[in-house]
Amino acid sequence: MKAWAIVTVALLMSGCANHPLDCATGLIAWDDCLPGTKGYVIRQESLKNLAAAEGQKANSDDAECQSFGAQPGTDTYVNCRIQLKKIASDQQTESAAQKQRAAQAFIMNMQQQQNLQNQQTQQTLQNLQQQKPAIQPQINCTSTKFGQTVNTSCH
């Protein structure tokens, strides 16, 4: 138990002021994770990957504009790069909108399925109530007399 407490305190102290456990474990790589924490390492790797992807996109856009005959430094080249950025931005916006529409459609579908199940359950209950036969209890009683006493038993 004592060892567990020491490990917990060490983890809390090894991270950042605002996110000690997240930074120490790398659960969330916050911007302010201190060097030496797992969160810092993960954040730095993420930034390197992002920079590499942006560099590849820039090289691709450069090659595409030059393939159209636009030379770097000219207005045509600058306009080509601007158009490619706009197209990429529009595609991201459309992709986000498509994801949102898909999520909304999924939620609506789930709600419709739930409503259908509720209706089917209600219909089944109504059918069972209509089919339930009226129970008419049959009572048979027998009386026996012993002198002035009468015993009656019913079943």
Side-chain angles (χ1 to χ4, degrees), residues 72-144:
T74 64
D75 288 345
T76 306
Y77 179 83
V78 171
N79 287 334
C80 176
R81 294 293 297 265
I82 289 170
Q83 287 300 317
L84 289 177
K85 282 185 180 182
K86 184 179 180 327
I87 290 168
S89 175
D90 290 348
Q91 287 174 342
Q92 284 180 334
T93 301
E94 181 58 29
S95 176
Q98 285 176 346
K99 288 178 184 177
Q100 185 176 12
R101 286 191 298 269
Q104 288 171 340
F106 176 77
I107 290 169
M108 288 180 64
N109 185 31
M110 294 301 290
Q111 288 172 339
Q112 288 173 346
Q113 287 180 2
Q114 185 63 45
N115 289 340
L116 182 60
Q117 287 177 347
N118 289 344
Q119 289 173 355
Q120 290 173 341
T121 300
Q122 287 294 335
Q123 185 63 43
T124 301
L125 287 174
Q126 288 174 355
N127 289 344
L128 288 173
Q129 288 174 346
Q130 290 173 354
Q131 293 174 0
K132 183 171 62 172
I135 299 174
Q136 299 284 333
Q138 294 183 357
I139 300 174
N140 294 321
C141 296
T142 307
S143 296
T144 54

Side-chain angles (χ1 to χ4, degrees), residues 11-33:
L11 284 174
L12 291 174
M13 293 175 65
S14 68
C16 305
N18 295 328
H19 319 286
L21 193 57
D22 290 344
C23 290
T25 61
L27 185 63
I28 299 176
W30 297 98
D31 292 344
D32 62 348
C33 287

Side-chain angles (χ1 to χ4, degrees), residues 59-70:
N59 289 340
S60 172
D61 288 353
D62 176 64
E64 187 169 357
C65 287
Q66 287 190 38
S67 75
F68 297 139

